[in-house]
Amino acid sequence: MRNWRSIRILAGVLGIAMILSACGGKDESSSTMDVAAAPTYKDTLNIAITAQPPTLDGALTSSEVSLTISGNLFEQLYTMNMDYEPTPELAESYTVSDDGLVYTFNLRQGVKFHNGKLMTADDVVSSMNRWLEVSSRGKSLLGGSVFEKVDDFTVTMTVPEPTSDVLTIISTRTFFPVIMPKEVIEAATPEGVQEYIGTGPYKFQEWKQDQYIHLVKYDDYTMIDSKPSAYSGRKEAATPNLYFYVVSDHSTRIAGVKTGEYDVCESVPLENYEDLMNDQNVTLYSQPSGSMNAFLNIKEGVLSDVKMRQAILAALNMDEIMLASFSDKELFTLAPGYMNVNQPQWAVNSGAEYYNQKNPDKAKKLASEAGYTGETIKLLTTPDYQEMYTATLVVQEQLRQAGFTAEVLSLDFPSFMKARVDFSQWDLFITSNGYQIIPPMHLVLNPTWAGFDVPEVATAVAAMRGAADNETARKAWSDLQQFMYEFGSSTAIGHYNDAMATSSNVSNFVFFDLPIYWNAVVSE
């Protein structure tokens, strides 16, 4: 609020100067006044992030830090506006066949990649078909679909069956089906693309491992001239250089934004929330952002027994976990649902009897019935995300109090993400997962996230996506959430607010689902 008030005052001063100039002619003194009042901006925005991203290849990751940075480089056919409505980006429009199986996209013409090449249908077909092949969410939600070229600026997407959410899925930032040059796609390996070449307002400059990622303004960016709205509309590389510094130490990030070393501090630890709110040199942003969830290994190990998983759920005290992780009861909400608590369509409480039981005696009884004899339960975590690490330590203590042997395996974030897909390395892990627009997008249903690949999921997802009305779709989701708690594949722990901070001289910064930097400026 302090920033906006300052901007209004500055705008008023400029307005008065213009009126005086118009009334009195342009003499030397008024010219001097105009020059003195004109704001000047820095050419670099310094952003402190919590962890090094595993990759900037959006098709291969759901990491928020990856998507935040790569969102400046790459663009999609459609993207989301502030009201979560699919909005044209690299496509101008689309039509759907009467049977709902064929989507035809008309591409924008004259859009150039960062290497100077003109974007055509060949690039779109290669990019989107690769995304359908390698993206875990693309495969799970739109598997069997195919993109084909019609002419240089028209492509079709044929889906195996009609569903109501196709455009929503390809517009979502968290899935990030981005368009790259065909030759970059063809040179990609299983580890990802070898070059980060997109059509966005910034282009890739340098990645200094464990230190920083540097993006620079793309001078030939083809802008959409419409009002900015979340990820859609006008994008300007208003600050020519973006530096994303890896600063995993929270106190260093906080000190940096207070002193001006960093213009932006991502992931503000909530114990610093009140301190920063009272700092006149800092502007604080906070909003409900997602749910913290615990995932249990259903594939192998000591928790492959459903009764053991139920024992774990019985032991957990969500009040303690959330308070330790987020410091203040005003900054989180307890609820058994995985979806946005303020979204009536999907916020359901089924499975509540398995949530926040805080009953160690019941946990011991169930573990005994499962034949538990003290085997070590491996808790995988990363210190790069403070709330996930803290929550894991609290869970470890709660499990000990319920008679379990629990051991924490703590890795840096990229290593954590690799270990997560090796089911021999963990029995339980906790992650903070941003809100999704529809349940099928949530990682709790993604078989590649934590191995939840039972047939009941596919059946329920099909029922949701093919439902004739919202009430039927809501019932299908409620039934699936109930099944998930009974099966013990995961549990919601609670719903959290995210907080970010900027120095008070940063303006035009937007904190949507992810931070948006392309129109942001920082005054001298």
Side-chain angles (χ1 to χ4, degrees):
M1 293 298 292
R2 291 189 296 274
N3 271 349
W4 292 113
R5 186 164 59 245
S6 299
I7 292 168
R8 286 196 293 270
I9 293 171
L10 179 57
V13 170
L14 289 171
I16 292 170
M18 293 172 64
I19 292 170
L20 290 174
S21 176
C23 293
K26 198 146 184 90
D27 59 19
E28 183 176 299
S29 61
S30 64
S31 297
T32 303
M33 185 176 183
D34 287 346
V35 171
T40 57
Y41 298 110
K42 298 180 181 178
D43 68 357
T44 299
L45 194 65
N46 295 309
I47 303 153
I49 58 178
T50 60
Q52 177 164 264
T55 178
L56 297 183
D57 187 345
L60 297 182
T61 182
S62 57
S63 159
E64 290 190 0
V65 67
S66 295
L67 297 171
T68 295
I69 298 173
S70 59
N72 298 282
L73 303 172
F74 302 111
E75 296 180 304
Q76 305 164 241
L77 292 177
Y78 271 69
T79 190
M80 290 292 179
N81 68 13
M82 193 64 77
D83 297 320
Y84 293 96
E85 297 168 335
T87 305
E89 191 167 51
L90 291 177
E92 287 184 336
S93 61
Y94 80 102
T95 57
V96 188
S97 61
D98 291 340
D99 60 7
L101 296 179
V102 181
Y103 288 71
T104 301
F105 295 92
N106 301 303
L107 307 179
R108 287 172 59 204
Q109 300 188 28
V111 176
K112 289 184 179 179
F113 288 107
H114 298 156
N115 61 3
K117 176 192 168 187
L118 191 68
M119 182 198 74
T120 68
D122 291 326
D123 306 304
V124 174
V125 169
S126 294
S127 298
M128 294 304 293
N129 283 335
R130 175 186 180 250
W131 177 76
L132 289 167
E133 179 183 348
V134 304
S135 165
S136 58
R137 290 173 173 177
K139 284 190 291 188
S140 64
L141 295 174
L142 294 175
S145 301
V146 61
F147 275 79
E148 295 177 292
K149 175 181 177 180
V150 176
D151 58 40
D152 281 349
F153 296 101
T154 309
V155 300
T156 59
M157 176 189 188
T158 303
V159 297
E161 57 187 358
T163 59
S164 57
D165 53 13
V166 170
L167 203 63
T168 298
I169 292 168
I170 68 169
S171 301
T172 302
R173 170 57 63 90
T174 49
F175 294 0
F176 218 25
V178 300
I179 307 304
M180 303 183 195
K182 179 182 178 182
E183 56 271 23
V184 171
I185 298 298
E186 290 176 343
T189 68
E191 288 72 39
V193 295
Q194 305 303 301
E195 298 176 278
Y196 298 123
I197 298 176
T199 59
Y202 287 91
K203 59 183 182 180
F204 179 82
Q205 181 70 18
E206 182 184 16
W207 186 335
K208 191 83 168 179
Q209 290 291 318
D210 298 318
Q211 296 184 42
Y212 63 80
I213 294 174
H214 179 198
L215 311 184
V216 298
K217 178 180 180 180
Y218 175 41
D219 290 328
D220 292 330
Y221 176 63
T222 310
M223 195 182 327
I224 296 176
D225 190 16
S226 62
K227 181 180 179 181
S229 178
Y231 305 124
S232 69
R234 186 173 60 257
K235 300 178 183 178
E236 296 182 65
T239 302
N241 297 279
L242 300 182
Y243 275 90
F244 294 87
Y245 288 98
V246 180
V247 188
S248 57
D249 182 76
H250 308 301
S251 59
T252 303
R253 285 201 314 280
I254 297 299
V257 76
K258 294 176 75 170
T259 61
E261 179 181 3
Y262 303 119
D263 303 303
V264 180
C265 169
E266 294 191 357
S267 297
V268 169
L270 295 181
E271 65 266 27
N272 298 101
Y273 188 87
E274 186 171 353
D275 174 36
L276 291 178
M277 183 181 290
N278 295 323
D279 192 320
Q280 295 297 310
N281 296 317
V282 172
T283 300
L284 199 57
Y285 300 79
S286 176
Q287 64 174 4
S289 296
S291 58
M292 175 182 277
N293 307 296
F295 297 86
L296 287 70
N297 189 340
I298 69 170
K299 291 288 192 182
E300 57 184 88
V302 65
L303 299 190
S304 59
D305 185 324
V306 64
K307 188 159 284 189
M308 276 297 294
R309 297 197 296 272
Q310 286 299 334
I312 298 297
L313 297 190
L316 299 182
N317 182 329
M318 308 310 187
D319 304 77
E320 289 183 355
I321 301 170
M322 292 300 286
L323 186 59
S325 302
F326 297 97
S327 302
D328 190 324
K329 290 184 177 180
E330 297 297 322
L331 296 174
F332 65 84
T333 303
L334 295 181
Y338 295 94
M339 299 297 289
N340 190 332
V341 291
N342 297 316
Q343 189 179 16
Q345 171 67 22
W346 302 116
V348 298
N349 288 322
S350 50
E353 65 271 32
Y354 298 96
Y355 174 76
N356 198 18
Q357 298 179 70
K358 40 191 162 187
N359 189 339
D361 291 337
K362 179 181 176 181
K364 291 176 182 176
K365 181 174 182 296
L366 287 169
S368 176
E369 292 173 0
Y372 178 66
T373 56
E375 294 90 340
T376 298
I377 297 173
K378 293 171 285 188
L379 309 179
L380 177 65
T381 191
T382 173
D384 292 345
Y385 286 89
Q386 184 186 38
E387 78 282 1
M388 289 159 49
Y389 182 74
T390 301
T392 303
L393 296 184
V394 177
V395 167
Q396 181 187 31
E397 180 57 28
Q398 290 178 356
L399 294 184
R400 283 176 175 168
Q401 291 179 11
F404 297 101
T405 302
E407 179 180 280
V408 171
L409 174 61
S410 180
L411 305 172
D412 62 72
F413 186 58
S415 300
F416 167 85
M417 293 295 278
K418 289 181 180 177
R420 176 186 55 78
V421 297
D422 181 351
F423 295 100
S424 69
Q425 294 199 43
W426 60 273
D427 297 301
L428 181 152
F429 69 82
I430 293 171
T431 53
S432 301
N433 302 119
Y435 284 139
Q436 300 294 329
I437 296 175
I438 57 175
M441 294 180 175
H442 204 299
L443 287 173
V444 295
L445 300 182
N446 189 321
T448 66
W449 181 252
F452 189 37
D453 58 357
V454 298
E456 288 85 348
V457 174
T459 301
V461 167
M464 269 185 280
R465 300 182 66 198
D469 55 65
N470 288 344
E471 189 59 33
T472 304
R474 176 183 168 84
K475 175 66 165 53
W477 165 235
S478 180
D479 290 346
L480 178 54
Q481 183 171 294
Q482 179 73 30
F483 169 75
M484 292 161 63
Y485 272 104
E486 292 173 353
F487 191 71
S489 56
S490 63
T491 177
I493 297 175
H495 298 254
Y496 59 88
N497 283 13
D498 259 353
M500 292 186 60
T502 71
S503 62
S504 56
N505 56 349
V506 172
S507 56
N508 297 342
F509 166 75
V510 175
F511 186 22
F512 191 50
D513 290 343
L514 297 171
I516 298 174
Y517 294 112
W518 43 72
N519 294 326
V521 292
V522 52
S523 58
E524 296 280 4

